[in-house]
Amino acid sequence: TYEHALVEEPLYTWWEASGFFQPSERAQCAADGSDPEDDTFTIAMPPPNVTGGLHMGHAMFVALQDILTRFNRMRGKRTLWLPGTDHAGIATQMLVDRALRAEGISREEIGRDAFIDKVWEWKRAKGGYITQQIRRLGASCDWSREKFTLDADMSAAVTEAFVRLHDKGLVYKGDYLCNWSPELQTAVSDLEVIYSEEPGQLYTFKYPLVPPDGTDGGPDADFIPVATTRPETILGDTAVCVHPDDPRYTRLVGRRVRVPFTDRSIPVIADAYVDMEFGTGALKITPAHDVNDYELGKRHGLPLLNIMRKDATLNEAAGRYEGLDRYVARAQLWADLQEAGLAISVEDKLQRVPRSERSGEVIEPLVSSQWFVRAKPLAEPALAQVRSGGVRIIPERFEKVYFNWLDNINDWCISRQLWWGHRIPVWYARAPDGSERAFVARDEGAARAQAEAALGTGVALEQDRDVLDTWFSSGLWPFSTLGWPEQSSDLARFYPTQLMETGYDILFFWVARMIMLGIELTGQPPFHTVYMHGLVRDDKGAKMSKTKGNVIDPLDSIAQYGTDALRYTLVTGSTPGQDIPLSTERLLTNRNLCNKLWNTGRFLLTTSLAGLPDAQLHELRVTKPMGADELARLSLAERYIVSRAHALVSSVTQQLDAYSLGAAGTDIARFLWDEYADWYIEASKTRFQGEAASRASGGEGAEATAETARAAAEARRTLVYVLDCGLRLLHPFMPYVTEAIWQRMPHDGPSLMLAPWPLGRGAPPLPVDAGALDAFGVFQDTVRAVRNARAEYKVEPGKKIHAVVCVSDPSKLAELRSEAAAFALLARVDPERLVWSSAMCAPAGAGKAVHLVVADGVEVFLPLANLVDADKETARLEKQAAKLQASIDKLAARLGSPGFADKAPADVVALATAELAEQREQLETIRKSIADLVPSS
């Protein structure tokens, strides 16, 4: 049994220590001298959060990216897979904040600088866990180039990007409605808000109309009924809006209503945005606390009235409700409306609730001062690149999603009210008139120079307290990791990268922003192809979650089944963009595949290669593809398996070039298991049996001895060559078991991961013998036909039967006859009673025989007398016939009964009639079989 636990970690340690993951200084030129840009292959690994633990999403992207990296490295390209981690601003700050609170300390107590020191301590102690776990997956990335988004050079790149964008007017500060997380005390982007359907309540109340004379009007005043799910926001309303064509309210447009429990009155306005059929047909408008109201308020010039503090308690604008939590205020205000006679009804209602992806709390729309990126000017060239084919998205259907998002993009809020992250490179100073001036600079010294030039010497500077959105720094990842903004050698050699492989769920979060920023800051898109993988789900297609108890831990899977089995299961179970169902049954099947490969290698080492001198083993090393001349000299089985391997090389290369990774992996494994192990290895045994028999006879017959030696040598060469070829193809998918086998075989080079791909770039296809494929295909079909007949007649597995194989085509007959020993072995036929004939009929004296038609011009006759024990089989069939006859008699009597035929439903009678006909047909077949067993007189 293949013991993956004894192989994987030592191999990985050796690979990394040997520098095999680092790009070679010189790429191997393509055979056809194609574009030298094609000599480089670069992937920037999507940086996992430094706080993260390995999950199946990581396992998925590592498997896919490592396959493509190993494939391109073996093809001779200068290959770089650049790893790193993300500082994960919100997640990391939450984690360390929680740890401090457990010690009875708050970050506010220790201050910003001390808190950041604590986070760095945590990062140094535990931040490397995720990268160690990624190593467990066999990732062949260049760890010597590992990056962290808060490294000094990476931070300098972020500052440079901000300054350049600001200098072009693409970054600005403004007061806008944003998604506010009261628990995290920061703004979060639209993409970090998750909406969930939750039970809630719809409150309908009276908005009292202010009488024309401006008096209160009292409790009996006319009113407009309005419904809301958030009564506390009534205190921030600045209008009530109706449809201009709604006959219920048109006369009221221009009037005013009084905001309950305040001294404010607000206008009744009209806008076609209002749906007359929904609710009461009248909307309360709270521009400072609702995204739709915010836009409508801008159209009508309504004021923004903020009634909420950043901790989600109500502020002084809420009057008597100041200091109350938003939910406490909701209950209190509704009770007060009831007491004042202004409440109409409360009904249960399912509502769409916005929650923070990080903290899970309900997000509060809140107007605040934030930094933004003007997205439209960046989106236009990013759209053009995909529309023109400069950037290709796989699968193509995600292009529509990409276009829709960028065509309707809003400005991007990039400031976060956190301490951990890239602090915004803006410094503030007070002007002589008391106004605040902002200076955007690459460092404080440059900011001071600007400030003193504008305001005079001795000005006091204070840096903006906010940090940048983590996705801003991640948007620079493909080029900042290569040294940008410096014109480094890595940037020159490896940018733009060839591929961005990631999950479809962050197409907006990350991919689109990388394209936008890459084009703006470097003048070209950061990659040519985007490959979107799906989400890993359980075997029933459900999303994995701890609450459901269906989470499969990748480290547990590795411990039980091995890394190769996990990688192969994830990749071969998917197509681009489709979610992947993962089951333990498939993991077990693919662990068995590893065992099968291991035992295949052991068979070669312990049988066909055992005892060979070192010089002969050295000659068996595969140093280049087999040529057409050598292929033509081989025997049929050898020509077949080499041709199949060569055809597989072409198809797999095309599939990997087209990113059809799952299909390629499946085809390789099927070839090695079905074609190589089950057919060719079995056939090759006859070569070594012949060699052994020749040696046992003392070498009688020099010609025969030379022939058996030649056949055995051909088989050894073919066994090693084809397995070597299969291991090279499978290595990107299953790096550990393939390397372990390859190292034990005759091989050329230090590591399989550095061995050349069987088909060089730009090289012509490897030779394929189409005639051998056809002839051996007939051979296989003939063996299968005999095996099926053996099963049908229940022939004991160890029994060797007689057979006559008739082939009308003389050349095909000669090809098949050349593999007589292999045919006898695989079909379990007695070699002494195996007859080959060009006559398409059973030979005289063969007696009754089972006649098998394999193909046009290919038939087999199996003498029945040898196939079965006639007496035992006759007795068995007669017993079966008697039982069937009794059933026929009973059913016929039932159908012949007037009571049944006349009274039973027609469909029941029809069913019984059909059953009787079927049983009679079965009886006739059994009687014919009995007759066939009786010897002819």
PDB file of all heavy atoms in Angstrom, residues 89 93 97 106-116 119 150 416-423 465-467:
ATOM      1  N   GLY A  89      -7.497  43.565   7.152  1.00  0.00           N
ATOM      2  CA  GLY A  89      -7.684  44.614   8.142  1.00  0.00           C
ATOM      3  C   GLY A  89      -8.743  44.350   9.185  1.00  0.00           C
ATOM      4  O   GLY A  89      -8.465  44.331  10.392  1.00  0.00           O
ATOM      5  N   GLN A  93      -7.874  42.821  13.009  1.00  0.00           N
ATOM      6  CA  GLN A  93      -8.136  43.729  14.130  1.00  0.00           C
ATOM      7  C   GLN A  93      -9.165  43.129  15.077  1.00  0.00           C
ATOM      8  O   GLN A  93      -9.017  43.211  16.304  1.00  0.00           O
ATOM      9  CB  GLN A  93      -8.610  45.095  13.621  1.00  0.00           C
ATOM     10  CG  GLN A  93      -8.908  46.075  14.753  1.00  0.00           C
ATOM     11  CD  GLN A  93      -8.901  47.512  14.296  1.00  0.00           C
ATOM     12  OE1 GLN A  93      -8.022  47.940  13.547  1.00  0.00           O
ATOM     13  NE2 GLN A  93      -9.880  48.290  14.751  1.00  0.00           N
ATOM     14  N   ASP A  97      -8.280  42.343  18.904  1.00  0.00           N
ATOM     15  CA  ASP A  97      -9.155  43.087  19.805  1.00  0.00           C
ATOM     16  C   ASP A  97      -9.841  42.136  20.782  1.00  0.00           C
ATOM     17  O   ASP A  97      -9.920  42.385  21.994  1.00  0.00           O
ATOM     18  CB  ASP A  97     -10.198  43.834  18.976  1.00  0.00           C
ATOM     19  CG  ASP A  97     -10.615  45.138  19.611  1.00  0.00           C
ATOM     20  OD1 ASP A  97     -10.036  45.509  20.646  1.00  0.00           O
ATOM     21  OD2 ASP A  97     -11.522  45.793  19.063  1.00  0.00           O
ATOM     22  N   SER A 106      -8.766  47.033  26.586  1.00  0.00           N
ATOM     23  CA  SER A 106      -9.343  47.494  25.327  1.00  0.00           C
ATOM     24  C   SER A 106      -8.261  48.185  24.524  1.00  0.00           C
ATOM     25  O   SER A 106      -7.298  48.721  25.084  1.00  0.00           O
ATOM     26  CB  SER A 106     -10.505  48.462  25.567  1.00  0.00           C
ATOM     27  OG  SER A 106     -10.029  49.706  26.034  1.00  0.00           O
ATOM     28  N   ARG A 107      -8.438  48.189  23.206  1.00  0.00           N
ATOM     29  CA  ARG A 107      -7.423  48.839  22.367  1.00  0.00           C
ATOM     30  C   ARG A 107      -7.404  50.345  22.606  1.00  0.00           C
ATOM     31  O   ARG A 107      -6.367  50.986  22.467  1.00  0.00           O
ATOM     32  CB  ARG A 107      -7.639  48.503  20.892  1.00  0.00           C
ATOM     33  CG  ARG A 107      -8.939  48.931  20.296  1.00  0.00           C
ATOM     34  CD  ARG A 107      -9.050  48.402  18.859  1.00  0.00           C
ATOM     35  NE  ARG A 107     -10.393  48.520  18.323  1.00  0.00           N
ATOM     36  CZ  ARG A 107     -10.811  49.565  17.610  1.00  0.00           C
ATOM     37  NH1 ARG A 107      -9.993  50.564  17.369  1.00  0.00           N
ATOM     38  NH2 ARG A 107     -12.044  49.605  17.144  1.00  0.00           N
ATOM     39  N   GLU A 108      -8.565  50.899  22.953  1.00  0.00           N
ATOM     40  CA  GLU A 108      -8.601  52.337  23.239  1.00  0.00           C
ATOM     41  C   GLU A 108      -7.721  52.675  24.447  1.00  0.00           C
ATOM     42  O   GLU A 108      -7.084  53.738  24.491  1.00  0.00           O
ATOM     43  CB  GLU A 108     -10.037  52.798  23.494  1.00  0.00           C
ATOM     44  CG  GLU A 108     -10.930  52.791  22.253  1.00  0.00           C
ATOM     45  CD  GLU A 108     -11.453  51.406  21.895  1.00  0.00           C
ATOM     46  OE1 GLU A 108     -11.247  50.460  22.692  1.00  0.00           O
ATOM     47  OE2 GLU A 108     -12.042  51.270  20.802  1.00  0.00           O
ATOM     48  N   GLU A 109      -7.662  51.754  25.415  1.00  0.00           N
ATOM     49  CA  GLU A 109      -6.865  52.004  26.625  1.00  0.00           C
ATOM     50  C   GLU A 109      -5.362  52.033  26.313  1.00  0.00           C
ATOM     51  O   GLU A 109      -4.625  52.854  26.860  1.00  0.00           O
ATOM     52  CB  GLU A 109      -7.147  50.941  27.682  1.00  0.00           C
ATOM     53  CG  GLU A 109      -8.529  51.053  28.319  1.00  0.00           C
ATOM     54  CD  GLU A 109      -8.853  49.868  29.204  1.00  0.00           C
ATOM     55  OE1 GLU A 109      -8.060  48.897  29.229  1.00  0.00           O
ATOM     56  OE2 GLU A 109      -9.893  49.899  29.867  1.00  0.00           O
ATOM     57  N   ILE A 110      -4.915  51.132  25.438  1.00  0.00           N
ATOM     58  CA  ILE A 110      -3.472  51.065  25.189  1.00  0.00           C
ATOM     59  C   ILE A 110      -3.029  51.994  24.063  1.00  0.00           C
ATOM     60  O   ILE A 110      -1.841  52.272  23.919  1.00  0.00           O
ATOM     61  CB  ILE A 110      -3.018  49.619  24.888  1.00  0.00           C
ATOM     62  CG1 ILE A 110      -3.633  49.108  23.582  1.00  0.00           C
ATOM     63  CG2 ILE A 110      -3.364  48.685  26.044  1.00  0.00           C
ATOM     64  CD1 ILE A 110      -3.099  47.750  23.165  1.00  0.00           C
ATOM     65  N   GLY A 111      -3.974  52.461  23.262  1.00  0.00           N
ATOM     66  CA  GLY A 111      -3.642  53.403  22.199  1.00  0.00           C
ATOM     67  C   GLY A 111      -3.257  52.735  20.891  1.00  0.00           C
ATOM     68  O   GLY A 111      -2.957  51.538  20.838  1.00  0.00           O
ATOM     69  N   ARG A 112      -3.269  53.538  19.839  1.00  0.00           N
ATOM     70  CA  ARG A 112      -3.084  53.014  18.482  1.00  0.00           C
ATOM     71  C   ARG A 112      -1.734  52.345  18.282  1.00  0.00           C
ATOM     72  O   ARG A 112      -1.640  51.220  17.790  1.00  0.00           O
ATOM     73  CB  ARG A 112      -3.276  54.151  17.473  1.00  0.00           C
ATOM     74  CG  ARG A 112      -3.159  53.684  16.020  1.00  0.00           C
ATOM     75  CD  ARG A 112      -3.565  54.774  15.058  1.00  0.00           C
ATOM     76  NE  ARG A 112      -3.720  54.241  13.705  1.00  0.00           N
ATOM     77  CZ  ARG A 112      -4.600  54.683  12.821  1.00  0.00           C
ATOM     78  NH1 ARG A 112      -5.418  55.684  13.150  1.00  0.00           N
ATOM     79  NH2 ARG A 112      -4.690  54.145  11.621  1.00  0.00           N
ATOM     80  N   ASP A 113      -0.648  53.042  18.645  1.00  0.00           N
ATOM     81  CA  ASP A 113       0.686  52.495  18.379  1.00  0.00           C
ATOM     82  C   ASP A 113       0.915  51.184  19.121  1.00  0.00           C
ATOM     83  O   ASP A 113       1.459  50.217  18.552  1.00  0.00           O
ATOM     84  CB  ASP A 113       1.756  53.507  18.776  1.00  0.00           C
ATOM     85  CG  ASP A 113       1.761  54.718  17.854  1.00  0.00           C
ATOM     86  OD1 ASP A 113       1.175  54.624  16.748  1.00  0.00           O
ATOM     87  OD2 ASP A 113       2.344  55.753  18.235  1.00  0.00           O
ATOM     88  N   ALA A 114       0.511  51.131  20.389  1.00  0.00           N
ATOM     89  CA  ALA A 114       0.694  49.902  21.169  1.00  0.00           C
ATOM     90  C   ALA A 114      -0.165  48.770  20.621  1.00  0.00           C
ATOM     91  O   ALA A 114       0.258  47.608  20.599  1.00  0.00           O
ATOM     92  CB  ALA A 114       0.350  50.161  22.633  1.00  0.00           C
ATOM     93  N   PHE A 115      -1.378  49.118  20.156  1.00  0.00           N
ATOM     94  CA  PHE A 115      -2.251  48.089  19.580  1.00  0.00           C
ATOM     95  C   PHE A 115      -1.635  47.515  18.311  1.00  0.00           C
ATOM     96  O   PHE A 115      -1.612  46.295  18.108  1.00  0.00           O
ATOM     97  CB  PHE A 115      -3.628  48.667  19.278  1.00  0.00           C
ATOM     98  CG  PHE A 115      -4.560  47.680  18.619  1.00  0.00           C
ATOM     99  CD1 PHE A 115      -5.187  46.698  19.364  1.00  0.00           C
ATOM    100  CD2 PHE A 115      -4.786  47.727  17.247  1.00  0.00           C
ATOM    101  CE1 PHE A 115      -6.036  45.776  18.749  1.00  0.00           C
ATOM    102  CE2 PHE A 115      -5.618  46.811  16.634  1.00  0.00           C
ATOM    103  CZ  PHE A 115      -6.248  45.838  17.395  1.00  0.00           C
ATOM    104  N   ILE A 116      -1.089  48.387  17.446  1.00  0.00           N
ATOM    105  CA  ILE A 116      -0.473  47.898  16.204  1.00  0.00           C
ATOM    106  C   ILE A 116       0.728  47.015  16.524  1.00  0.00           C
ATOM    107  O   ILE A 116       0.969  45.994  15.868  1.00  0.00           O
ATOM    108  CB  ILE A 116      -0.091  49.086  15.302  1.00  0.00           C
ATOM    109  CG1 ILE A 116      -1.370  49.750  14.780  1.00  0.00           C
ATOM    110  CG2 ILE A 116       0.793  48.636  14.149  1.00  0.00           C
ATOM    111  CD1 ILE A 116      -1.138  51.027  14.001  1.00  0.00           C
ATOM    112  N   VAL A 119      -0.576  43.652  17.254  1.00  0.00           N
ATOM    113  CA  VAL A 119      -0.975  42.914  16.044  1.00  0.00           C
ATOM    114  C   VAL A 119       0.250  42.334  15.348  1.00  0.00           C
ATOM    115  O   VAL A 119       0.239  41.187  14.889  1.00  0.00           O
ATOM    116  CB  VAL A 119      -1.778  43.814  15.090  1.00  0.00           C
ATOM    117  CG1 VAL A 119      -2.226  43.006  13.875  1.00  0.00           C
ATOM    118  CG2 VAL A 119      -2.995  44.404  15.776  1.00  0.00           C
ATOM    119  N   LEU A 150       1.491  44.220   4.084  1.00  0.00           N
ATOM    120  CA  LEU A 150       2.009  45.317   4.901  1.00  0.00           C
ATOM    121  C   LEU A 150       3.536  45.332   4.968  1.00  0.00           C
ATOM    122  O   LEU A 150       4.103  46.045   5.789  1.00  0.00           O
ATOM    123  CB  LEU A 150       1.419  45.259   6.318  1.00  0.00           C
ATOM    124  CG  LEU A 150      -0.010  45.802   6.461  1.00  0.00           C
ATOM    125  CD1 LEU A 150      -0.498  45.644   7.883  1.00  0.00           C
ATOM    126  CD2 LEU A 150      -0.094  47.258   6.044  1.00  0.00           C
ATOM    127  N   ARG A 416     -11.386  53.134   5.748  1.00  0.00           N
ATOM    128  CA  ARG A 416     -11.929  52.286   6.808  1.00  0.00           C
ATOM    129  C   ARG A 416     -11.481  52.863   8.151  1.00  0.00           C
ATOM    130  O   ARG A 416     -10.330  53.255   8.320  1.00  0.00           O
ATOM    131  CB  ARG A 416     -11.437  50.839   6.668  1.00  0.00           C
ATOM    132  CG  ARG A 416     -11.877  50.145   5.394  1.00  0.00           C
ATOM    133  CD  ARG A 416     -13.382  49.886   5.386  1.00  0.00           C
ATOM    134  NE  ARG A 416     -13.808  49.212   4.161  1.00  0.00           N
ATOM    135  CZ  ARG A 416     -14.232  49.832   3.063  1.00  0.00           C
ATOM    136  NH1 ARG A 416     -14.259  51.161   3.043  1.00  0.00           N
ATOM    137  NH2 ARG A 416     -14.611  49.162   2.001  1.00  0.00           N
ATOM    138  N   GLN A 417     -12.394  52.848   9.099  1.00  0.00           N
ATOM    139  CA  GLN A 417     -12.102  53.435  10.402  1.00  0.00           C
ATOM    140  C   GLN A 417     -11.480  52.361  11.310  1.00  0.00           C
ATOM    141  O   GLN A 417     -12.057  51.924  12.308  1.00  0.00           O
ATOM    142  CB  GLN A 417     -13.382  54.015  11.006  1.00  0.00           C
ATOM    143  CG  GLN A 417     -13.853  55.282  10.303  1.00  0.00           C
ATOM    144  CD  GLN A 417     -14.263  55.060   8.852  1.00  0.00           C
ATOM    145  OE1 GLN A 417     -15.070  54.183   8.554  1.00  0.00           O
ATOM    146  NE2 GLN A 417     -13.698  55.850   7.927  1.00  0.00           N
ATOM    147  N   LEU A 418     -10.301  51.937  10.899  1.00  0.00           N
ATOM    148  CA  LEU A 418      -9.558  50.895  11.598  1.00  0.00           C
ATOM    149  C   LEU A 418      -8.179  51.417  11.967  1.00  0.00           C
ATOM    150  O   LEU A 418      -7.759  52.480  11.511  1.00  0.00           O
ATOM    151  CB  LEU A 418      -9.422  49.643  10.712  1.00  0.00           C
ATOM    152  CG  LEU A 418     -10.705  48.985  10.211  1.00  0.00           C
ATOM    153  CD1 LEU A 418     -10.366  47.928   9.166  1.00  0.00           C
ATOM    154  CD2 LEU A 418     -11.478  48.359  11.358  1.00  0.00           C
ATOM    155  N   TRP A 419      -7.450  50.626  12.742  1.00  0.00           N
ATOM    156  CA  TRP A 419      -6.057  50.963  13.074  1.00  0.00           C
ATOM    157  C   TRP A 419      -5.069  50.085  12.313  1.00  0.00           C
ATOM    158  O   TRP A 419      -3.955  50.492  12.044  1.00  0.00           O
ATOM    159  CB  TRP A 419      -5.833  50.804  14.589  1.00  0.00           C
ATOM    160  CG  TRP A 419      -6.498  51.873  15.400  1.00  0.00           C
ATOM    161  CD1 TRP A 419      -7.178  52.956  14.926  1.00  0.00           C
ATOM    162  CD2 TRP A 419      -6.534  51.954  16.826  1.00  0.00           C
ATOM    163  NE1 TRP A 419      -7.652  53.713  15.964  1.00  0.00           N
ATOM    164  CE2 TRP A 419      -7.263  53.124  17.150  1.00  0.00           C
ATOM    165  CE3 TRP A 419      -6.050  51.164  17.859  1.00  0.00           C
ATOM    166  CZ2 TRP A 419      -7.500  53.513  18.469  1.00  0.00           C
ATOM    167  CZ3 TRP A 419      -6.280  51.555  19.169  1.00  0.00           C
ATOM    168  CH2 TRP A 419      -7.000  52.717  19.473  1.00  0.00           C
ATOM    169  N   TRP A 420      -5.472  48.849  12.002  1.00  0.00           N
ATOM    170  CA  TRP A 420      -4.574  47.895  11.338  1.00  0.00           C
ATOM    171  C   TRP A 420      -4.776  47.994   9.831  1.00  0.00           C
ATOM    172  O   TRP A 420      -5.849  47.710   9.312  1.00  0.00           O
ATOM    173  CB  TRP A 420      -4.882  46.483  11.825  1.00  0.00           C
ATOM    174  CG  TRP A 420      -4.121  45.368  11.149  1.00  0.00           C
ATOM    175  CD1 TRP A 420      -4.660  44.403  10.370  1.00  0.00           C
ATOM    176  CD2 TRP A 420      -2.720  45.087  11.231  1.00  0.00           C
ATOM    177  NE1 TRP A 420      -3.688  43.539   9.937  1.00  0.00           N
ATOM    178  CE2 TRP A 420      -2.480  43.931  10.464  1.00  0.00           C
ATOM    179  CE3 TRP A 420      -1.649  45.699  11.872  1.00  0.00           C
ATOM    180  CZ2 TRP A 420      -1.215  43.370  10.317  1.00  0.00           C
ATOM    181  CZ3 TRP A 420      -0.390  45.141  11.732  1.00  0.00           C
ATOM    182  CH2 TRP A 420      -0.182  43.993  10.972  1.00  0.00           C
ATOM    183  N   GLY A 421      -3.735  48.429   9.136  1.00  0.00           N
ATOM    184  CA  GLY A 421      -3.838  48.548   7.691  1.00  0.00           C
ATOM    185  C   GLY A 421      -2.914  49.629   7.175  1.00  0.00           C
ATOM    186  O   GLY A 421      -2.046  50.140   7.885  1.00  0.00           O
ATOM    187  N   HIS A 422      -3.104  49.995   5.913  1.00  0.00           N
ATOM    188  CA  HIS A 422      -2.309  51.052   5.290  1.00  0.00           C
ATOM    189  C   HIS A 422      -2.949  52.396   5.636  1.00  0.00           C
ATOM    190  O   HIS A 422      -4.034  52.718   5.146  1.00  0.00           O
ATOM    191  CB  HIS A 422      -2.262  50.886   3.770  1.00  0.00           C
ATOM    192  CG  HIS A 422      -1.612  49.614   3.323  1.00  0.00           C
ATOM    193  ND1 HIS A 422      -2.340  48.494   2.957  1.00  0.00           N
ATOM    194  CD2 HIS A 422      -0.297  49.271   3.208  1.00  0.00           C
ATOM    195  CE1 HIS A 422      -1.497  47.529   2.616  1.00  0.00           C
ATOM    196  NE2 HIS A 422      -0.263  47.966   2.764  1.00  0.00           N
ATOM    197  N   ARG A 423      -2.275  53.165   6.465  1.00  0.00           N
ATOM    198  CA  ARG A 423      -2.836  54.444   6.861  1.00  0.00           C
ATOM    199  C   ARG A 423      -2.871  55.385   5.660  1.00  0.00           C
ATOM    200  O   ARG A 423      -1.933  55.431   4.849  1.00  0.00           O
ATOM    201  CB  ARG A 423      -2.008  55.058   7.991  1.00  0.00           C
ATOM    202  CG  ARG A 423      -2.743  56.151   8.740  1.00  0.00           C
ATOM    203  CD  ARG A 423      -2.123  56.381  10.082  1.00  0.00           C
ATOM    204  NE  ARG A 423      -2.747  57.509  10.771  1.00  0.00           N
ATOM    205  CZ  ARG A 423      -2.367  57.934  11.965  1.00  0.00           C
ATOM    206  NH1 ARG A 423      -1.361  57.331  12.606  1.00  0.00           N
ATOM    207  NH2 ARG A 423      -2.976  58.962  12.532  1.00  0.00           N
ATOM    208  N   ARG A 465      -6.582  59.541  10.269  1.00  0.00           N
ATOM    209  CA  ARG A 465      -6.610  58.398  11.188  1.00  0.00           C
ATOM    210  C   ARG A 465      -7.109  57.120  10.515  1.00  0.00           C
ATOM    211  O   ARG A 465      -6.951  56.035  11.068  1.00  0.00           O
ATOM    212  CB  ARG A 465      -7.486  58.722  12.405  1.00  0.00           C
ATOM    213  CG  ARG A 465      -6.938  59.881  13.242  1.00  0.00           C
ATOM    214  CD  ARG A 465      -7.800  60.149  14.473  1.00  0.00           C
ATOM    215  NE  ARG A 465      -7.844  59.004  15.371  1.00  0.00           N
ATOM    216  CZ  ARG A 465      -6.868  58.692  16.234  1.00  0.00           C
ATOM    217  NH1 ARG A 465      -5.760  59.429  16.296  1.00  0.00           N
ATOM    218  NH2 ARG A 465      -6.984  57.643  17.023  1.00  0.00           N
ATOM    219  N   ASP A 466      -7.722  57.231   9.356  1.00  0.00           N
ATOM    220  CA  ASP A 466      -8.301  56.062   8.697  1.00  0.00           C
ATOM    221  C   ASP A 466      -7.235  55.259   7.948  1.00  0.00           C
ATOM    222  O   ASP A 466      -6.150  55.764   7.655  1.00  0.00           O
ATOM    223  CB  ASP A 466      -9.393  56.483   7.713  1.00  0.00           C
ATOM    224  CG  ASP A 466     -10.633  57.012   8.421  1.00  0.00           C
ATOM    225  OD1 ASP A 466     -10.701  56.902   9.670  1.00  0.00           O
ATOM    226  OD2 ASP A 466     -11.519  57.555   7.738  1.00  0.00           O
ATOM    227  N   VAL A 467      -7.585  54.024   7.652  1.00  0.00           N
ATOM    228  CA  VAL A 467      -6.732  53.180   6.806  1.00  0.00           C
ATOM    229  C   VAL A 467      -7.490  52.867   5.518  1.00  0.00           C
ATOM    230  O   VAL A 467      -8.698  53.101   5.406  1.00  0.00           O
ATOM    231  CB  VAL A 467      -6.329  51.860   7.519  1.00  0.00           C
ATOM    232  CG1 VAL A 467      -5.563  52.143   8.788  1.00  0.00           C
ATOM    233  CG2 VAL A 467      -7.546  50.981   7.795  1.00  0.00           C
TER     234      VAL A 467
END
